[in-house]
Each structure stands twice: as C-alpha cells, then as structure tokens.
Amino acid sequence: MRNEEDINILTLSILGKKPRIADTILLALIYICAFFTVALIAGIILYVAYRGIGVVNWTFLTTAPSFRNGTVGIAGNIINTLLVVALTLLIATPVGVGSAIYLNEYAKEGRFTRIVEFTTETLSGIPSIIYGLFGFMLFGSIWGYCILTGSLTLTIMVLPLITRNTQEALKTVPSSYRTGALGMGATKWYMIRTVLLPSAMPGIVTGVILAIGRIVGESAALLFTGGSDNSLLKSISGLPGKLLSSGGTLTIALYLYMSKAEYDTAFGIALVLIVIVLLINFATKALTAKFDVTRRK
C-alpha cells in the first residue's frame, strides 16, 4: 500500500508540475530544427526532381550517349557504378569484417589495439580527394585509369567504415553468448561463426550498406582513378577487359555534364542518384529489421 501511495503522489506531482519557460522554449527550438531539417531535405529532393524529371525516361536509362543517333543516356555509367560497388565490396567486406573480428575477439587490449583503432578513425576523416591522389600514385601507376584502380582506392576509403561498424556490432553481443558457447565445448572460431556473427549481422549489414551509399556518391576519388568512359559492356565475356578500362560512374557523369553547362541532363543524373540513395536507406531499414526479427526468434 505504501508503495502505491508513493507512486500516486509522484505521478500527481509530475502531472501537476507547471512547465518552465526554458523547457517550453527548448522544446520549440527542437521542433523548429526538426522542421527545418525535413524541409531542407524535401526542398532539395523536390527541386532536383522538378529539374530532372523531364529528362529521365527509359531511353535515358538504357542507352549510351551517341552523337550519331542524337541520344543522351547513362546506361554505361550505371553499369560502371554497379561494377565499382560490387568490386569494392568484394574486397573491402571480408577485410573489414575480418579486421573487426581480430580486434574485438583475438587482439589483447593494449597499445597495438589502440593504435589500430586510432588509425581507423583517422582514415575515416581524411578527405576523399586525398584518397584519389594516393590511389592514382599507387594503383594508377600499375593499371592506369580504370575501374579496378577506382575500386581499390574506394576499398581503402570505405574499409574504416565497415571495420568500425562491425566492431561496434560485435561489442553489442552479450558476453554470455561467448561464455555459453565456449562452455558447451565449441571452439572459438566456431563460436564466432555460428553465434557472434549471426547476432551482430544487423550492424554488419548496416555498415556494408552505408559503404555502398558512400561508394555510389563518391566522385573526387574517382576523378583521379576511374576515368570517364561511359561505353556499354558488350557481353559478360568482356568483363575482365572492362575492369581494366576507363569507366565513369554516375557521379563522374554528373560532374562532366555540369562542367559543360548541360544542366538538365545533370539534374536527371542527380535524380537517379537520389533515388538510388533512398533505395539504399530503405534497404538498410528493411534488412536491419529482418535480422532483428530473426535474431529474436
């Protein structure tokens, strides 16, 4: 009875408390900031859609530019973007996830671990154009301007993002999962493969999809490494040669059209990029929710 009376008194005192002027002002500022943020994003999307919707059609999305036919298309740029994303993730994901597993599960707390974590955080803050310069000098001297050079450069750039997200995801797994699996006789690698990684999968997937978003929107690093060719891939058998040839992504095409003052085409490409980024964000939420449901089961 005493506890119930205390709870009732506390509830009445909270409900009957008059809001302070400072709290009201702070709440109003929070709403204003939230409205400004949403309005700014909506304004950008609507303006880009208004300027670019007249350009985007099936021909624009499925053909390459042709002076002879008088067509302007970005199909080659879309293919190049997909190739860069796929090749970058193929290299960066195993390395990033493996590095996070080592740092979180095998490496002992000490100076070496702190140095690696500090280096990873520092790499995350380096401007992308510096990555482009480094990639041009290191990889470009071997393969020149090509999709492979651009992908290797972007691998270095997104590696910290994947590593840190995976590491934080592994830290959220309760320690009881580890001790329980090891107590049942499982080896450490078996425990990591069957218990930790499935439990941390939502965070790992989030890091990978965020890396995809950064790859899709990157231009400065690719200006020095990937080239600008927008020709279509003739066949799958020509894929190895395509990887070693110049390939302009959507962001590079956007930059080139803007530099030539072809603003309508540039806004059309921008609209396509916005749609891709929105789809990536929706995919992140959907996959994270799916993995959360699976983990709870």
Side-chain angles (χ1 to χ4, degrees):
M1 292 295 294
R2 182 62 181 172
N3 292 334
E4 292 181 0
E5 291 177 0
D6 293 340
I7 293 174
N8 291 332
I9 293 172
L10 181 61
T11 303
L12 291 174
S13 63
I14 292 175
L15 295 176
K17 183 180 179 181
K18 294 182 179 180
R20 294 182 297 179
I21 297 177
D23 294 338
T24 304
I25 294 175
L26 182 59
L27 183 61
L29 289 175
I30 292 173
Y31 277 110
I32 291 173
C33 293
F35 174 78
F36 177 76
T37 302
V38 175
L40 182 63
I41 296 174
I44 293 174
I45 294 175
L46 291 175
Y47 181 75
V48 172
Y50 171 75
R51 292 291 303 270
I53 193 66
V55 178
V56 179
N57 51 43
W58 183 248
T59 302
F60 182 73
L61 296 174
T62 58
T63 61
S66 174
F67 291 103
R68 178 181 300 177
N69 300 326
T71 59
V72 177
I74 58 172
N77 300 112
I78 294 175
I79 292 175
N80 292 336
T81 303
L82 295 177
L83 289 176
V84 168
V85 170
L87 187 57
T88 302
L89 291 182
L90 187 64
I91 302 172
T93 302
V95 177
V97 174
S99 300
I101 292 174
Y102 171 76
L103 290 173
N104 203 68
E105 303 300 327
Y106 288 97
K108 296 181 180 179
E109 289 290 336
R111 181 178 298 178
F112 174 74
T113 305
R114 291 195 296 270
I115 291 175
V116 173
E117 291 180 349
F118 175 76
T119 304
T120 303
E121 294 173 357
T122 303
L123 286 173
S124 301
I126 295 178
S128 58
I129 197 166
I130 296 179
Y131 283 106
L133 180 62
F134 175 79
F136 172 75
M137 297 301 297
L138 180 62
F139 306 118
S141 60
I142 302 174
W143 295 290
Y145 288 102
C146 66
I147 292 176
L148 179 61
T149 300
S151 298
L152 292 174
T153 304
L154 292 180
T155 297
I156 300 175
M157 192 171 67
V158 302
L159 195 57
L161 180 62
I162 297 176
T163 302
R164 292 299 295 168
N165 274 275
T166 303
Q167 195 173 1
E168 294 301 320
L170 291 173
K171 288 180 180 179
T172 61
V173 180
S175 58
S176 58
Y177 287 21
R178 298 172 174 83
T179 56
L182 295 175
M184 294 175 64
T187 61
K188 191 165 187 176
W189 171 241
Y190 185 83
M191 177 268 296
I192 292 172
R193 181 169 55 87
T194 60
V195 178
L196 290 190
L197 289 181
S199 299
M201 193 57 67
I204 297 174
V205 171
T206 300
V208 171
I209 295 181
L210 289 175
I212 294 175
R214 186 168 184 185
I215 295 169
V216 170
E218 184 55 46
S219 59
L222 292 174
L223 278 173
F224 291 160
T225 57
S228 60
D229 182 69
N230 53 11
S231 60
L232 288 170
L233 179 64
K234 301 296 183 181
S235 62
I236 299 299
S237 60
L239 183 59
K242 181 68 174 177
L243 295 178
L244 294 175
S245 62
S246 173
T249 60
L250 287 170
T251 52
I252 299 299
L254 173 61
Y255 167 78
L256 294 176
Y257 280 114
M258 282 293 295
S259 63
K260 293 185 292 186
E262 298 182 18
Y263 300 119
D264 291 338
T265 304
F267 274 106
I269 299 174
L271 180 58
V272 174
L273 282 170
I274 287 178
V275 172
I276 292 175
V277 171
L278 289 175
L279 291 176
I280 290 172
N281 290 333
F282 290 142
T284 304
K285 293 182 179 295
L287 287 174
T288 303
K290 181 178 179 180
F291 281 116
D292 283 337
V293 172
T294 303
R295 184 176 59 178
R296 290 170 184 172
K297 290 180 179 180

